[in-house]
Amino acid sequence: MQDGTFHSPGHSEETWTRGDVFASQCPTRQLLDRIADKWSTLILIALGRGPIRFNELKRRIEGVSQKMLSQTLKSLERDGLVSRTVVATVPVTVTYAVTPLGRGLIASMQAMIDWAETQMPQVAQAQADYDGRISAP
């Protein structure tokens, strides 16, 4: 366990204790659930290239439904990883961007994506080998 302090807007200094990700009720586990989600990862990586409007983001991320994109963006905004800017135009313009907190996460995510993209041939071979062993009489 590691102790520390943090500042939150409107509050005095608060003390926190580093969590135990293996504990079922650990808040860190809830955050990991969010950032390990494929839609969250893809949204953050897409937003890492610059602010983007909802429909552009939906077109960029093939297969995501409007409902899932909306829900995920709201969750990422609640976690402080994404910001939402509304401009009073006709129709209203809504733009999403990565916050500084989210930007810090993108480097780790990009490394994971790079690993997955470069190691996919080995993973595919391992899957084929496994499937061959399992289906063999």
Side-chain angles (χ1 to χ4, degrees):
M1 299 279 214
Q2 180 180 0
D3 295 334
T5 59
F6 68 94
H7 301 279
S8 59
H11 295 90
S12 60
E13 239 178 49
E14 298 179 33
T15 301
W16 59 272
T17 302
R18 184 175 175 150
D20 176 4
V21 74
F22 296 103
S24 66
Q25 297 303 311
C26 179
T28 304
R29 186 183 282 193
Q30 295 168 355
L31 181 59
L32 284 174
D33 284 344
R34 169 104 53 252
I35 63 177
D37 173 73
K38 73 176 175 183
W39 298 125
S40 294
T41 301
L42 294 173
I43 289 168
L44 286 168
I45 294 297
L47 291 175
R49 296 184 175 127
I52 191 169
R53 293 177 62 182
F54 184 90
N55 285 330
E56 293 174 70
L57 194 54
K58 186 172 181 321
R59 283 191 296 274
R60 176 72 178 110
I61 303 172
E62 294 180 11
V64 68
S65 69
Q66 184 166 333
K67 179 181 177 183
M68 184 56 65
L69 180 57
S70 180
Q71 287 176 348
T72 306
L73 283 165
K74 285 178 185 176
S75 295
L76 292 170
E77 183 181 7
R78 181 174 184 264
D79 292 339
L81 302 172
V82 168
S83 65
R84 180 178 184 263
T85 304
V86 179
V87 179
T89 57
V90 178
V92 173
T93 302
V94 180
T95 304
Y96 294 91
V98 175
T99 64
L101 181 62
R103 190 152 303 285
L105 175 60
I106 289 175
S108 297
M109 288 181 154
Q110 190 60 58
M112 184 177 62
I113 290 168
D114 292 343
W115 179 88
E117 288 179 341
T118 60
Q119 301 305 310
M120 198 57 227
Q122 292 89 334
V123 171
Q125 184 60 54
Q127 291 170 343
D129 292 348
Y130 177 88
D131 293 345
R133 286 191 312 271
I134 296 304
S135 63

